[in-house]
Structure formats: C-alpha cells, structure tokens
Amino acid sequence: MAKLIITNELNNQASEFAITKSEIKIGRHPTKNDLVLPTKQVSAIHALLKRIGNEYLLIDLNSTNGTVIKNKRITEASLKDGDSFSVGTFIIQISDHSARKNDISYQESPIGQNVLTRSVSGDPYQTKMLDKDFEQGALEARLAEKIKILETLYELGQTFSSVFNIDEIFQQIADILFRLTPADRCAILVCQNSTNALEPRLIKINPNKKLSNPQQTDFTISRTIASKVIADRLSLLSVDAQTDRRLSSESIAIQHIHSVMCAPLIGKTDVLGVVYVDKIDLHDSFGSDDLDLLNAVAGQAAIAFDNARAYEQLAQEAIARSSYQRFMPNHIIDLILKSPEGLKIGGTIQPATILFADIRGFTSMAEKSPPQLVVKALNLFFSAMTEIIFANLGTLDKYLGDGLMAIFGAPYRNDNDAINAVNAAIGMQRRLNKLNPEIKKLGFAPIEIGIGINTGDVTVGCIGSERRMDYTAIGNTVNLASRLMSQAKGQNILISHSTYQLLGNVFRAKPLLDNELRGLSSYTKAYQIIYK
C-alpha cells in the first residue's frame, strides 16, 4: 500500500498518511488539504503530489517557505518509492510497496475440488472436507497442534498489545508463518475502502529458503481464491496447486507452486484483506494443522490491524482538532469529525447571528504603553471573551485589532442562535468586572466594550485565496452588526430588529430612537439589551 511517512523535525514524532487518491494536496488549511500540517511554516495550500504510474510528481503551489528536496527549493520534481521532501519542519517520505519488485498478478480460474477450508469463527478445528484423501491426524497430534496455536496466539497478543504500526504488524505475521509452517512466500493484501480492490501491503520471501527459479520472486495469486475467501469468510488450503484447475496457468507451472493457503482478515465491521502463503518445494506441503495455525494468526492480525487503523484515525483527528479548536468550540469540532461532509466548502447562504465586540478607547491607551504590555492585555481579554463565545455555542470568526467577530449558527445551525449570541454578549460584559483588576495591574485604566448583534442570511464558508483562506461570513447582515457595534457605547449591547424578534421574552430590551443611531438608515430599528 502506498503511504507517506511524516516526521516532524521539532520533536521527531512520526505518523503515516495512506495514499488513496491520485492527487494529494498538502498544506496548513484544515479543509482544503488531504494532508494537513498545522504549523505556520506551511502555507495554507502548500504543495500537490500527483501519482503517475509507479512514480510521483511533486509540485510547489507558490508556497511562502518553499518545498525542499536535498536542501534545494523546487518548483516541480519527479519522485519514486523511498524518496523524501521537506515542507516546513516536516520531512515526508514516499513508501510505495506497489512500486517495488515482487508485484502481484492475478489469475482468473474456477476453484477446483482438491481443497480444504476452515471456519474463521467458532471452533477453529471444525472443517469442511472437499476431498476424501484428507484425514484427521491422531488425537495427540491435534492436541499438540492446539497447544502450538495457543502459544502463538499468546505471543502475537503480547506483541500486538503495544504495536500500532500496520507494516510492523504484517512483518510479524510473515515471520511467524515462516517459522511455524513450511511457507516459502507470504503476501498480505488489504481491501481499499473506496474500491474494495485488494492491494498488496506486504510481499516477503522466506529468508531461510533458497528459490532456484528467478520467476518465483513474482507472485501469481488466484483472484477466484481471494474473492471466495472474502465472500465466504473461510480460510482455504489447496494441497496440490499443479493439478488444481483454478491454478492451471503457465506462470504457476514456471514458479512450481506446490501448495497454497489463504485466510481472510475479518475486522469488527468488514473484511480487511487476506493473508496468502504458498509452498514451492515438492518434498513438503501444507496440512490441516498449518491451516489451523494460519486461521488463528489471521484472527489476531485482523484485531491488531483494526486497532492500528483506529490509532491512525485518532492521530489524524488529533491533528484536525488542533487546527479547528482555535476558532470553534469542541461540540462543533465533534460534529465536523463525525460528518465532515456537513462542512461545505466554497460558501453557502444560511441564516446566522453575527456578534461584534470592540474595546472602547483602547487605541489611545495602547499608544502610551509598552507593546509587550499591550499584547499581554489583549491576550487576557481575548482569552476570556473567546471562552464565553465557545460556552454559548458560537464560532470565533476573527480578532480585529482590539475587537472580535463571532458567528452563531455556522457551520451548524441551532434554534437558539440569537438567544445564545445575546447570552454571550451579557457574559462578556459581566466578565469585564472580574477581568479589569488584572488589566489594571498592567497599568491600564478599566476597559469597556461595545457589542452589536444582527441576525439574517449570510454567506459562510472558506473564503480567500489559494495562499490564505479563512472560515468566515460575509454579507449585509455582517455589515449591520458591525455598524451596531460602532454605535454601542461602553457596556452597551445593541441588537437589530431581526434579532429582537427571535428573543421572545427571554431578555429585557428597550427600543432606541433614530437620533440615537447616527450613521444608520432611518428604517433600521435597534434595541438595547437591559442586563444590569
């Protein structure tokens, strides 16, 4: 399976990203990229990686800090399996098993009768015999084989309890099968989520065996066998591949394949792939005990594979969450991660309530103070106000000098968006009473804020350029909220008529006269929230 191995030079933490598309966008923006690298050194949309056959084309998208290969900034470059490039503080290496030697081909032939199958669930020794020549071994041998399988399962369980790297898991599987069965070759194929096609994730030759024929390094697998194993959820053994009609092909004859086993990797909800091993030496072949062992190993492998995928998903969600949490509350982030298709990109028109808040007279105060103290005071203010916005289910749109803009109702609507916005505004005004003593310690006079709120249709989405995009709202509704804020005196909360109509009797409000709303049109009705 093709993947990118990402290492952050700052902390040496590594992660993996599966390549499931022909084009992979790389950048900082959480919704415009496939691979998100949330750091300032990475541009919003930084680079594009195109898969062309067994090679890759890396294109820098006019990034600020550039895309680097071997300490040289590039515009375009051709890459292959094993090559790496740098984006910001991240080193990204291409790992593409499909581009390596020992690729797999398939044969389309019917399944013959010289075959033994095993049930993957229930009693691992319940068999379905399709050939009378197979006989059960002595009871003592069966008991000994059960002990060997239990020891193997214990060994696997101990190993996989702390391993979350899928490739390492598959390497362990191959090594155990080589050690405990006469297998010469092993392949593990994984079902792709998008197409359900099988893609090789591991191809390995037994290091303790010498294969005399060079053709034996090229795998040929019966697609019919793999499909049957997945469809029936049964492990399968073919005792004599040379006489089995399903494997009657020139390549099988050239490779001198003698015996084949295949087992499904059954996860919690679906089949994840198959484990395939074969035997070339005529002096030895697989038996029913080997099939039992493969069955048990495949069961452990599926559990470990499921856990590893869950671990990778959690790691990717952690990266996305770290990007979103700067401007969205946790409940919104949870909804996005659960249903990312709900966050439409490019702009949609929907009702929302917009809140603007601004510190009155802070510019003149800041001009008389050291910049470090100004920044510290603003950080105290923004931290407190953002916390209140999130607590009332709002989304932080942006900071505006010594003010801010918040959206209630995007990306997800709530029947109480207008009420939540006013609750947030009241909470912000009251929080200043506790915040001002800390502001005073920095040498500033007590601060006051004016707040404006308006409700109506807005265009929301990721808006900007290819180099920088932000999730925001635009439109006349936003403009009116900003103008209401500009008219609000310190400690005042002004709301529009459209917001007032949605509040019911939850808050007290008094209408303002036209001469109290300078700069606004005569038909604009506004109200002041009474909260003290």
Side-chain angles (χ1 to χ4, degrees):
M1 178 180 180
K3 63 183 178 182
L4 299 177
I5 301 174
I6 305 104
T7 304
N8 192 337
E9 290 185 296
L10 295 180
N11 53 23
N12 287 325
Q13 290 186 351
S15 61
E16 295 182 357
F17 178 87
I19 300 177
T20 59
K21 302 166 59 178
S22 60
E23 294 188 1
I24 302 295
K25 281 189 177 180
I26 302 171
R28 186 181 72 250
H29 198 281
T31 57
K32 277 291 186 181
N33 296 286
D34 303 294
L35 174 57
V36 179
L37 304 176
T39 179
K40 292 181 179 179
Q41 290 81 9
V42 179
S43 296
I45 301 179
H46 195 105
L48 178 66
L49 185 66
K50 292 185 177 182
R51 183 172 184 173
I52 305 172
N54 288 333
E55 294 187 352
Y56 294 82
L57 178 63
L58 178 64
I59 303 172
D60 182 82
L61 301 177
N62 297 320
S63 62
T64 302
N65 294 320
T67 304
V68 178
I69 297 178
K70 296 181 179 180
N71 297 322
K72 292 183 179 180
R73 184 166 177 168
I74 60 97
T75 302
E76 291 188 6
S78 295
L79 302 174
K80 60 182 183 301
D81 173 48
D83 289 342
S84 61
F85 58 95
S86 297
V87 174
T89 61
F90 295 90
I91 299 175
I92 303 173
Q93 183 182 32
I94 298 174
S95 177
D96 189 349
H97 290 273
S98 63
R100 301 176 185 175
K101 191 179 179 181
N102 302 339
D103 202 0
I104 289 182
S105 60
Y106 294 93
Q107 293 293 327
E108 306 285 359
S109 303
I111 293 181
Q113 297 301 310
N114 195 19
V115 68
L116 170 68
T117 63
R118 283 283 191 267
S119 171
V120 178
S121 59
D123 183 1
Y125 300 102
Q126 179 183 5
T127 63
K128 176 182 178 183
M129 302 298 296
L130 300 182
D131 192 299
K132 295 181 180 179
D133 292 336
F134 286 102
E135 297 180 358
Q136 290 186 348
L139 178 60
E140 293 81 4
R142 301 295 290 165
L143 291 176
E145 192 61 31
K146 285 186 178 181
I147 292 173
K148 183 171 69 173
I149 290 178
L150 290 175
E151 289 175 346
T152 301
L153 290 175
Y154 177 77
E155 179 184 346
L156 288 175
Q158 291 293 102
T159 301
F160 293 158
S161 62
S162 58
V163 175
F164 296 101
N165 183 288
I166 295 175
D167 291 324
E168 185 177 345
I169 290 169
F170 289 166
Q171 287 287 348
Q172 293 277 353
I173 295 299
D175 291 343
I176 287 177
L177 291 174
F178 287 151
R179 177 158 51 92
L180 298 179
T181 75
D184 291 326
R185 309 184 301 182
C186 176
I188 299 179
L189 297 87
V190 176
C191 294
Q192 298 303 300
N193 293 333
S194 57
T195 63
N196 289 326
L198 285 173
E199 180 176 315
R201 186 68 181 259
L202 177 139
I203 302 172
K204 192 170 185 180
I205 308 296
N206 191 333
N208 300 317
K209 302 290 183 72
K210 292 184 179 180
L211 304 181
S212 58
N213 192 329
Q215 297 292 334
Q216 292 166 352
T217 59
D218 297 326
F219 272 80
T220 299
I221 292 178
S222 168
R223 194 185 302 274
T224 309
I225 288 181
S227 299
K228 178 176 178 58
V229 164
I230 291 175
D232 295 348
R233 299 196 173 198
L234 294 172
S235 56
L236 179 148
L237 164 63
S238 175
V239 178
D240 190 352
Q242 293 294 322
T243 60
D244 196 328
R245 288 177 299 174
R246 64 183 174 168
L247 299 176
S248 58
S249 69
E250 181 180 355
S251 57
I252 289 294
I254 292 174
Q255 295 176 97
H256 301 292
I257 295 175
H258 177 54
S259 187
V260 172
M261 290 196 302
C262 190
L265 298 172
I266 300 179
K268 295 178 182 179
T269 58
D270 53 8
V271 178
L272 307 175
V274 298
V275 181
Y276 168 94
V277 291
D278 62 20
K279 186 77 186 78
I280 295 173
D281 190 355
L282 291 173
H283 300 292
D284 200 1
S285 63
F286 297 122
S288 61
D289 293 340
D290 297 316
L291 186 60
D292 288 331
L293 178 61
L294 177 64
N295 206 26
V297 168
Q300 286 289 338
I303 294 172
F305 189 12
D306 246 341
N307 291 339
R309 289 204 310 182
Y311 179 82
E312 287 183 351
Q313 182 178 359
L314 288 174
Q316 292 175 359
E317 287 185 1
I319 294 174
R321 186 176 293 277
S322 67
S323 300
Y324 287 132
Q325 66 185 3
R326 295 177 294 117
F327 55 94
M328 291 184 180
N330 286 331
H331 81 283
I332 295 293
I333 300 173
D334 291 339
L335 289 173
I336 292 174
L337 295 178
K338 183 178 180 180
S339 303
E341 67 278 1
L343 184 60
K344 296 181 179 179
I345 307 302
T348 59
I349 299 177
Q350 65 183 71
T353 298
I354 307 299
L355 179 150
F356 277 90
D358 183 77
I359 302 176
R360 292 297 176 243
F362 189 78
T363 301
S364 59
M365 295 166 56
E367 290 175 349
K368 303 174 184 177
S369 303
Q372 297 90 337
L373 293 181
V374 174
V375 171
K376 193 169 184 179
L378 286 176
N379 285 341
L380 285 173
F381 171 74
F382 286 136
S383 295
M385 299 302 107
T386 301
E387 180 181 331
I388 294 171
I389 290 169
F390 286 177
N392 287 277
L393 311 184
T395 297
L396 177 66
D397 184 285
K398 61 176 69 73
Y399 297 124
L400 302 163
D402 55 3
L404 59 83
M405 170 183 167
I407 309 172
F408 295 79
Y412 298 99
R413 294 181 57 190
N414 186 298
D415 291 339
N416 295 322
D417 287 330
I419 293 175
N420 292 336
V422 175
N423 267 327
I426 294 174
M428 293 164 68
Q429 294 286 14
R430 289 175 174 170
R431 182 64 179 271
L432 283 180
N433 295 329
K434 298 180 179 179
L435 189 63
N436 270 322
E438 298 181 54
I439 298 293
K440 188 175 180 181
K441 291 179 182 179
L442 298 176
F444 295 96
I447 62 174
E448 294 181 344
I449 58 174
I451 298 177
I453 300 174
N454 184 32
T455 302
D457 288 340
V458 296
T459 300
V460 293
C462 289
I463 299 172
S465 68
E466 285 296 316
R467 301 193 62 171
R468 177 176 176 84
M469 289 192 178
D470 290 306
Y471 185 83
T472 188
I474 59 175
N476 290 332
T477 298
V478 178
N479 298 337
L480 180 56
S482 177
R483 296 179 71 181
L484 285 170
M485 177 271 294
S486 66
Q487 295 295 311
K489 299 178 181 178
Q491 302 185 20
N492 282 0
I493 303 170
L494 301 187
I495 64 173
S496 66
H497 184 67
S498 58
T499 301
Y500 176 79
Q501 289 180 308
L502 298 173
L503 301 181
N505 297 320
V506 177
F507 305 99
R508 293 175 56 208
K510 69 173 184 178
L512 297 181
L513 301 177
D514 292 343
N515 59 7
E516 297 179 274
L517 295 172
R518 291 173 297 174
L520 294 178
S521 58
S522 58
Y523 57 83
T524 298
K525 292 184 179 180
Y527 303 79
Q528 180 178 333
I529 295 294
I530 308 299
Y531 63 92
K532 295 182 181 181

